[in-house]
Amino acid sequence: MNNAKVFLTALPSWILSLLTAIVILWLTLSPDPLGDDAPRLFPGADKVVHAMMFGFLAIMILFDRQRKDGWRTLSVPFIFLGAALSILMGVGIEVAQLKMDMGRGYEVADMVADAVGVAICSLSWILLQHRWSNRS
């Protein structure tokens, strides 16, 4: 096993997923997390950001599982489970934004963007994991 895999395997089990979830919660539930430092992008850029955030969360869930499972190839059902968890977090955040009434808006389009990002990343994982996995 190479040095990077040894280092990554030594990390606590779900640390990368947990840290990613915490950052996403902060970015999506804080009234104005970036303040005046928020970049001004093109219209609809927030949907791209949603897709990237929740796609990355799915990748971290899969990555954490694989590294703690001896880098063995993950099964398609587990990959779908990781994707479902990421999508459910996105739906939960949108519902929380609605209920909290702190200036954040509930948008079905955000949930769709979350799901699209998760789907792209999960399918990419299925297609590419053979490059870094130990086959079992």
Side-chain angles (χ1 to χ4, degrees):
M1 191 176 334
N2 67 34
N3 289 341
K5 280 187 174 180
V6 170
F7 170 75
L8 290 168
T9 302
L11 292 174
S13 292
W14 295 98
I15 192 70
L16 300 175
S17 300
L18 179 64
L19 291 174
T20 301
I22 289 169
V23 169
I24 289 172
L25 288 168
W26 174 69
L27 288 170
T28 57
L29 295 178
S30 298
D32 191 16
L34 301 179
D36 293 336
D37 294 332
R40 304 293 175 229
L41 302 172
F42 55 91
D46 68 309
K47 303 307 176 251
V48 174
V49 171
H50 269 265
M52 291 170 59
M53 285 191 307
F54 287 90
F56 188 73
L57 177 60
I59 293 292
M60 289 298 96
I61 290 169
L62 299 175
F63 184 72
D64 275 345
R65 172 57 185 216
Q66 191 172 55
R67 69 187 179 83
K68 287 305 176 186
D69 198 23
W71 299 95
R72 287 191 293 255
T73 301
L74 296 178
S75 69
V76 172
F78 185 85
I79 293 169
F80 285 159
L81 177 64
L85 290 172
S86 298
I87 292 169
L88 284 173
M89 183 173 166
V91 170
I93 285 171
E94 289 301 316
V95 170
Q97 288 176 344
L98 176 67
K99 301 291 183 188
M100 290 172 61
D101 194 29
M102 293 179 60
R104 303 303 295 257
Y106 169 87
E107 290 188 51
V108 172
D110 285 348
M111 291 184 274
V112 171
D114 300 343
V116 168
V118 169
I120 290 168
C121 289
S122 298
L123 291 172
S124 296
W125 188 279
I126 290 168
L127 295 173
L128 299 173
Q129 73 171 320
H130 69 277
R131 293 177 175 248
W132 61 81
S133 300
N134 297 334
R135 295 195 174 87
S136 54

